[in-house]
Structure formats: structure tokens, C-alpha cells
Amino acid sequence: MSENETESIQALQQELAQKQSEIEQLREQVAALQESERVLRQRLRDTESVATDLRNVSSSVNDLMNLFMDSPKRFEQNEQLPPSSAFLESVELQNDKELLFGINIKQEFLQQSSASTIKYYLFACQCTVREEFEIVNLKIETKEQLALVAEAFAQYVRLTSLSEGNDLQGIVEALGATILESPMLKYYGDKTAERYFHEFVQAYSREPEH
């Protein structure tokens, strides 16, 4: 065998070894892709399972709400309504979520939930204390200012009650002024917030202009 032929064979062997190495790398990449695909499929199945669970929970909540809201029809007018039904009917939430703020309740929950779900959540958490606070000493001219006051009050109640070891849970809803009434804050919680409102107004009221 000539020297040239020997060199050609060696070159082919080296090229073959290189190709085999590349093939092995491709196999590893394919295996990695297959594993990634398996993980993604599993995540997709998990996501679909969670979505199904959420739909079932939502359906269950709606069914439960219907039970609560329809139950008065099953009673005669001279009979007392169940406490749950009476409470749910007494809560009147407006449609404007921009004026609704939570006290130790996540804002995302309030923004994404229906009024019925929020009502049931309040009842389930025993937030049955309802109070209304008229805003007479704060200068409010726009919806944004009203929302700012409601949010500030909710935060004030949360932080102050927490510092006292008496943390409250509930919601604050702001109502704009009408011809006959001043702006108002409606509060639903598990404890009274009246003292906090007076302290809040005293702390944040503007001095009268001269």
C-alpha cells in the first residue's frame, strides 16, 4: 500500500470518527428535545387539570351562591331568612372595581371576582360588620381622588390594626358624592373600623383655607 493510500485511509477514518461524534451529539440533542417535549406535555396536562379544577370550583361557588340567593324563595314571608341569605342580600356592591379596596384581601381577587363571589367570601370570612363613613372633611373633586382616599383608608386600617395585634379583614368601597349626600366609604369587615376612620380623618384632613 502506497503512502498516499495510507494517508487517504487515515483521513477517511478521521472523517468517519468526526461524523460519528457529530451523530452522537445529534442523538444527545434529540434526546434532550424529547425530554423537553415530555416535560412540556406534562406541564400542559397539569395546567389543563388546574383549569378544570378552577372551573369546577367556580361552578361550585356559583351553585352555592344560587342556593344562598334562592333560599329566601323557599321560606314564607313570616319566617326569618337564614343568616347567610340575609347577609348576602344586605351587601350592595357597585360595579366599579376601581373604587373597591381590600384590607388583608388581595386586590387581584377583588378585581377578578364577581360581586357574588366577593359577597360569599366576606360571609365565609365572617366579615359581617357593615359600616358607612361619610367623608366631610376631605376635599374630593375627582374619581381619582376618591379612589386615593379609599385606598389610603384601607391601608391605614390594615397597618394600624396589624401594629396593634388586632388585624382586620374586609373591604372598603368608595361612593361618589350626590346632590344630597357627601362622598362615602362603605366598609365590610370582621371587626369594627369606626375608630380607625376617625383617626384617619383627623390625620389627613386639610386645614381650611384662609
Side-chain angles (χ1 to χ4, degrees), residues 18-193:
Q18 179 67 27
K19 294 297 182 182
Q20 289 177 337
S21 176
E22 292 176 357
I23 290 173
E24 187 62 29
Q25 290 179 358
L26 287 174
R27 285 176 178 172
E28 293 176 356
Q29 292 175 0
V30 169
L33 289 173
Q34 290 175 338
E35 176 64 17
S36 297
E37 181 182 10
R38 186 191 67 79
V39 172
L40 288 174
R41 288 183 180 276
Q42 182 61 46
R43 288 179 180 175
L44 180 59
R45 286 194 292 269
D46 293 342
T47 300
E48 291 175 346
S49 177
V50 171
T52 300
D53 292 341
L54 288 176
R55 286 194 293 269
N56 291 336
V57 169
S58 177
S59 177
S60 298
V61 170
N62 289 335
D63 292 342
L64 195 55
M65 284 303 306
N66 291 332
L67 174 63
F68 280 126
M69 299 308 292
D70 292 341
S71 58
K73 300 176 183 178
R74 303 190 181 103
F75 291 81
E76 298 296 333
Q77 292 182 353
N78 60 348
E79 291 181 327
Q80 184 178 5
L81 297 178
S84 57
S85 299
F87 172 76
L88 294 171
E89 288 190 342
S90 70
V91 179
E92 299 179 358
L93 298 177
Q94 308 300 312
N95 293 325
D96 195 343
K97 296 291 187 69
E98 294 181 358
L99 297 177
L100 190 64
F101 301 94
I103 302 173
N104 290 318
I105 296 177
K106 290 186 177 181
Q107 199 65 20
E108 293 82 0
F109 169 77
L110 298 179
Q111 296 297 318
Q112 298 173 5
S113 300
S114 66
S116 296
T117 301
I118 295 173
K119 290 179 182 182
Y120 177 72
Y121 182 85
L122 291 174
F123 178 78
C125 295
Q126 299 183 346
C127 295
T128 57
V129 177
R130 184 175 73 173
E131 296 173 327
E132 296 182 353
F133 305 115
E134 188 177 10
I135 305 173
V136 294
N137 295 324
L138 295 177
K139 186 177 180 181
I140 298 176
E141 298 177 345
T142 65
K143 175 183 174 180
E144 288 73 19
Q145 291 175 341
L146 180 62
L148 182 61
V149 170
E151 183 178 11
F153 176 60
Q155 290 295 331
Y156 178 84
V157 174
R158 183 180 70 84
L159 295 174
T160 305
S161 63
L162 183 63
S163 67
E164 297 173 348
N166 185 34
D167 53 313
L168 279 73
Q169 186 176 34
I171 62 173
V172 173
E173 182 180 34
L175 300 179
T178 65
I179 297 177
L180 300 177
E181 296 180 343
S182 301
M184 183 176 297
L185 298 180
K186 294 175 66 176
Y187 164 80
Y188 298 92
D190 58 351
K191 302 179 185 69
T192 179

